[in-house]
């Protein structure tokens, strides 16, 4: 039997895997890294490291940036320098000790030391100024928007430098949601203009500094962006929704990129979830997408489920499909 | 190109800075305010169709709606009291427990540009709040409920059923990524649309 890592490599290179890769099994996220992220607990409101107000009201599934007139951080994109101040990313060596120890303890035959990065460059633009203003600014103030994206990119690179110095991650798991279920937020042309250069720098830097794999999360439609994903150095696109026609993308781009997902979290991960429904979904996904350039998984951006048991049931359903198909 | 056609063309491509001036020029040429408004409504339905078919994206739709709004600002003093373009008031909101509003806002803009007066209740709107708003506002013909989370689908159902149970004479349209036409029918909604462009078309049909 191949190790988890060997098996993953076979899937990525179109070789001979002996089973399906099970969701996030190959990534060990090192969450003990020093970070500047300030997050609210349930029922709390905080002002985060960028100055964005984040609220998590009681009884809600998750937290939310507050963008009403009183709270919005970036009020005028043309004056972004007056409002936006990137947080500090430099921490003393001692602050990295725990993360370095956690990285050492990883089962290196089966797992990669993984750094988790969120929000992404696009997400940060709409965290700062609200989604609508952000999207309109690409048209109305493209120069200012390009400058802001450069600034965010430099911030990411500064943190990347710290990460590769201290943690030395082998995999980067990076979030940035680029679309809704049925379309991308930006046209491919606009995406190419604003985000391809930024991500080429960021992912290029990681690749030049010892990172083996870039796993990018966008649980959305983004089939039209795959050529750019390949160009910027993404090895695995995680969160691929079925609205993308995954089998077709595998035919077209397999060998250059691998697709991870194929099962919508919304469909299987709810209070009334059942083992049968989970199995049905993974059976469909595995049969449709096949053994190569595909990693079955729910589209959620982390190796967990919202409702207890669903993630484990998904792993079990994948094991079942491995027995059947390999 | 006539001034009115120019207004139409510039709204379609979201020239927010040019449209107000062009609307003024169209007025100066002697065009009726209602006619100019209609031209802008028409361009927004083109925008809606292009969005539905995937030819344009959210930013293009947002700036087109903003361009139209700026044009309407010029017309507003002249249109006051003229309700001929109005299809009635539409109450819109995202249901209880759900804070997503991008889709709802787009739907709101498109329904408004189709000729409805919009009352936006925002996000996390309890079922009873929709009913109160129907009573508080004049000539409410339509209620639009948005839900983006599978976990708030029961809240969507509750909103529709509370509105229906109130006995008030309004139509209810629902939508949001996890909502299917079947689910909309099952919970008793009068209409469903998959995106903002078709929401405007459907809304018009429903109150006709
Ligand atoms: C952007 C986004 C956010 C933004 C929202 C910003 C905002 N102001 O709305 C932020 C980052 C803040 C956010 C937060 C959260 N999100 Co969110 N988010 C998304 C994302 C990426 C896109 C949604 C969106 O705006 N789409 C663009 C618009 C244009 O499309 P749309 O909303 O579908 O609307 C169109 C149609 O549906 C329709 N429509 C919509 N409403 C209506 C109404 C009517 C009447 C009609 C006719 C039509 C209609 O027309 C619209 C226009 O064409 C989706 C993922 C996805 N792929 O969809 C997740 C997603 C919806 N979020 C999700 C989650 C879980 C959350 C959080 C809980 C996460 C967290 N913080 O941990 C919180 C929510 C807290 C809460 N209680 O609501 C999940 C929901 C999963 C589920 N179980 O259903 C999704 C699916 C991501 C995922 N797979 O995990 N999110």
């Amino acid at each position: 039997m191949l190790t988890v890592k060997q098996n993953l490599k076979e899937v990525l290179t179109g070789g001979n895997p002996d089973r399906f890769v099970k969701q996030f099994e190959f990534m060990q996220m090192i969450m003990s890294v020093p970070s500047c992220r300030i997050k609210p607990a349930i029922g709390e409101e905080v002002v985060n490291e960028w100055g964005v107000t984040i609220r998590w009201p009681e009884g809600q599934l998750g937290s939310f940036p507050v963008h009403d007139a009183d709270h919005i951080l970036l009020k005028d994109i043309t004056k972004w320098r007056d409002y936006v101040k990137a947080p500090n990313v430099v921490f003393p060596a001692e602050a990295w000790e725990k993360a370095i120890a956690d990285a050492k303890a990883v089962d290196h035959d089966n797992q990669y030391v993984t750094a988790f990065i969120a929000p992404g460059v696009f997400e940060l633009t709409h965290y700062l100024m609200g989604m609508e203003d952000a999207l309109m600014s690409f048209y109305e103030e493209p120069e200012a928007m390009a400058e802001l994206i450069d600034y965010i990119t430099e911030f990411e690179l500064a943190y990347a430098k710290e990460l590769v110095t201290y943690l030395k991650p082998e995999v980067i798991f990076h979030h940035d949601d680029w679309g809704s279920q049925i379309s991308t937020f930006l046209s491919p042309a606009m995406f190419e203009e604003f985000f391809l250069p930024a991500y080429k720098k960021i992912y290029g830097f990681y690749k030049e500094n010892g990172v083996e794999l870039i796993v990018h999360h966008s649980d959305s439609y983004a089939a039209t962006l795959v050529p750019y994903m390949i160009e910027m150095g993404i090895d695995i696109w995680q969160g691929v929704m079925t609205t993308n026609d995954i089998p077709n993308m595998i035919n077209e781009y397999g060998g250059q990129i691998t697709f991870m997902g194929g099962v919508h979290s919304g469909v299987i991960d709810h209070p009334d979830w059942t083992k049968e429904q989970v199995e049905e979904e993974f059976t469909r996904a595995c049969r449709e997408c096949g053994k190569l350039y595909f990693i079955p998984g729910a589209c959620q951006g982390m190796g967990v489920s919202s409702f207890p048991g669903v993630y484990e049931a998904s792993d079990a359903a994948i094991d079942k499909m491995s027995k059947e198909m390999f | 190109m006539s001034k009115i056609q120019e207004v139409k063309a510039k709204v379609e491509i979201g020239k927010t800075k040019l449209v107000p001036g062009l609307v003024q020029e169209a007025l100066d040429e002697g065009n009726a305010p209602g006619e100019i408004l209609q031209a802008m409504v028409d361009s927004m339905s083109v925008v809606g169709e292009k969005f539905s078919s995937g030819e344009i994206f959210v930013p293009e739709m947002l700036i087109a709606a903003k361009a139209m709004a700026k044009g309407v600002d010029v017309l507003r003093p002249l249109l006051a009291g003229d309700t001929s373009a109005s299809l009635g008031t539409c109450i819109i909101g995202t249901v209880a427990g759900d804070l997503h509003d991008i889709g709802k806002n787009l739907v709101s803009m498109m329904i408004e540009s189709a000729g409805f007066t919009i009352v936006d209740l925002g996000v996390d709107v309890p079922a009873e709040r929709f009913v109160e708003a129907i009573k508080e506002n004049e000539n409410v013909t339509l209620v639009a409920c948005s839900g983006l989370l599978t976990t708030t689908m029961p809240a969507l159902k509750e909103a529709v059923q509370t509105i229906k149970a109130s006995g008030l004479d309004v139509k209810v349209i629902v939508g949001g990524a996890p909502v299917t036409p079947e689910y909309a029918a099952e919970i008793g909604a009068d209409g469903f649309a998959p995106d903002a462009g078709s929401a405007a078309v459907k809304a018009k049909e429903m109150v006709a």
Side-chain angles (χ1 to χ4, degrees):
Chain A
M1 196 165 121
L2 300 170
T3 66
V4 169
K5 273 176 156 176
Q6 287 166 342
N7 190 54
L8 172 76
K9 285 222 173 96
E10 295 299 312
V11 169
L12 301 187
T13 55
N16 283 304
D18 60 13
R19 60 193 185 276
F20 281 113
V21 174
K22 276 190 288 188
Q23 311 196 74
F24 285 75
E25 63 174 348
F26 59 98
M27 287 184 267
Q28 180 60 54
M29 304 292 167
I30 307 296
M31 300 308 253
S32 50
V33 290
S35 131
C36 47
R37 282 185 83 188
I38 303 173
K39 289 183 286 185
I42 300 178
E44 230 181 44
E45 174 176 310
V46 297
V47 175
N48 83 355
E49 66 284 358
W50 286 84
V52 177
T53 304
I54 313 263
R55 199 178 278 162
W56 190 341
E58 207 91 45
Q60 300 280 7
L61 253 192
S63 62
F64 225 79
V66 187
H67 289 134
D68 57 36
D70 294 338
H71 293 89
I72 199 153
L73 177 83
L74 178 46
K75 296 182 171 65
D76 177 353
I77 176 69
T78 64
K79 302 201 179 75
W80 66 269
R81 278 194 183 79
D82 298 344
Y83 296 105
V84 181
K85 193 95 202 70
N88 167 53
V89 292
V90 180
F91 300 91
E94 305 86 81
W96 289 90
E97 279 168 7
K98 171 87 171 66
I100 292 167
D102 288 349
K104 266 214 186 91
V106 166
D107 165 9
H108 292 279
D109 288 336
N110 288 298
Q111 289 188 307
Y112 288 103
V113 172
T114 303
F116 172 72
I117 317 267
V121 181
F122 173 69
E123 287 169 337
L124 205 51
T125 63
H126 68 80
Y127 266 71
L128 295 172
M129 59 199 296
M131 185 66 123
E132 282 152 35
D133 282 354
L135 291 177
M136 285 193 284
S137 297
F138 287 104
Y139 269 98
E140 297 188 311
E141 301 297 344
E143 292 83 14
M145 217 46 196
E147 285 167 17
L148 176 63
I149 288 169
D150 267 349
Y151 183 77
I152 294 172
T153 305
E154 289 308 317
F155 158 78
E156 273 229 18
L157 286 169
Y159 188 58
K161 202 169 142 240
E162 301 302 303
L163 271 176
V164 302
T165 305
Y166 292 104
L167 183 67
K168 303 186 176 34
E170 300 159 312
V171 168
I172 297 296
F173 180 52
H174 196 300
H175 275 221
D176 207 9
D177 263 315
W178 290 332
S180 73
Q181 253 185 60
I182 49 174
S183 72
T184 53
F185 285 125
L186 300 175
S187 68
M190 205 173 239
F191 182 86
E192 180 183 11
E193 179 185 343
F194 288 94
F195 290 98
L196 180 59
Y199 274 104
K200 268 171 111 166
K201 278 188 210 155
I202 296 167
Y203 290 159
F205 176 85
Y206 280 121
K207 287 271 170 90
E208 282 157 20
N209 286 278
V211 169
E212 277 180 54
L213 295 175
I214 304 284
V215 184
H216 182 100
H217 166 87
S218 181
D219 63 325
S220 65
Y221 175 84
T224 47
L225 305 181
V226 172
Y228 307 126
M229 293 187 194
I230 294 167
E231 196 179 335
M232 62 178 68
I234 294 176
D235 299 286
I236 299 173
W237 166 18
Q238 188 272 331
V240 185
M241 298 185 106
T242 54
T243 44
N244 290 285
D245 191 349
I246 307 170
N248 189 35
M249 292 194 302
I250 292 173
N251 273 334
E252 200 165 339
Y253 304 109
Q256 302 180 76
I257 190 168
T258 288
F259 302 96
M260 175 167 169
V263 173
H264 291 198
S265 298
V267 172
I268 58 163
D269 194 3
H270 50 81
D272 308 317
W273 73 273
T274 63
K275 186 169 157 270
E276 289 68 32
Q277 193 183 23
V278 171
E279 280 182 2
E280 198 182 300
E281 279 297 303
F282 278 96
T283 303
R284 176 195 51 70
C286 292
R287 290 227 174 98
E288 272 173 18
C289 302
K291 302 175 188 178
L292 300 177
Y293 315 120
F294 173 67
I295 299 173
C299 292
Q300 185 135 348
M302 212 19 129
V304 295
S305 51
S306 299
F307 296 92
V310 176
Y311 188 85
E312 293 71 19
S314 301
D315 272 354
I318 296 169
D319 277 339
K320 203 166 158 226
M321 287 317 290
S322 283
K323 284 215 183 80
E324 206 181 299
M325 291 177 63
F326 286 84
Chain B
M1 205 193 287
S2 77
K3 274 289 166 252
I4 272 207
Q5 275 175 315
E6 224 175 299
V7 169
K8 196 165 175 245
K10 293 295 189 255
V11 167
E12 233 181 274
I13 54 171
K15 292 290 175 192
T16 51
K17 286 171 190 151
L18 293 181
V19 167
L22 286 171
V23 168
Q24 190 55 53
E25 287 173 34
L27 284 170
D28 295 344
E29 271 187 4
N31 293 293
E35 224 178 303
I36 303 172
L37 181 63
Q38 190 54 48
M40 292 196 285
V41 171
D42 293 346
S43 39
M44 285 310 288
S45 54
V46 175
V47 169
E49 275 164 32
K50 286 189 177 165
F51 181 75
S52 299
S53 69
E55 202 180 314
I56 62 165
F57 298 81
V58 183
E60 289 81 0
M61 190 171 210
L62 287 171
I63 52 162
K66 186 170 171 187
M68 170 161 175
K70 295 217 157 166
V72 172
D73 283 345
V74 178
L75 294 179
R76 188 163 288 120
L78 306 165
L79 287 169
D82 175 8
T83 52
S84 58
S86 180
L87 297 171
T89 297
C90 169
I91 309 277
I92 191 166
T94 302
V95 298
D98 202 330
L99 304 169
H100 291 85
D101 65 1
I102 301 162
K104 184 235 357 150
N105 293 349
L106 283 179
V107 170
S108 165
M109 287 172 198
M110 290 307 293
I111 290 185
E112 181 169 29
S113 64
F116 286 84
T117 304
I118 292 285
V119 174
D120 189 343
L121 303 178
V123 296
D124 193 11
V125 179
E128 312 74 50
R129 183 72 197 95
F130 283 106
V131 174
E132 283 165 27
I134 302 169
K135 293 179 183 158
E136 285 162 11
N137 290 281
E138 267 167 47
N139 192 24
V140 176
T141 51
L142 185 69
V143 181
C145 306
S146 177
L148 257 283
L149 296 166
T150 47
T151 46
T152 53
M153 288 302 102
L156 186 66
K157 180 175 176 182
E158 199 195 331
V160 173
Q161 296 187 340
T162 308
I163 297 163
K164 287 287 160 196
S166 73
L168 295 158
D169 179 25
V170 292
K171 292 282 191 323
V172 183
I173 184 170
V174 295
V179 184
T180 58
E182 295 76 33
Y183 186 73
E186 187 191 314
I187 62 176
D190 304 297
F192 161 82
D195 59 65
S198 45
V201 176
K202 186 78 196 174
K204 270 201 271 190
E205 251 174 56
M206 286 168 68
V207 303

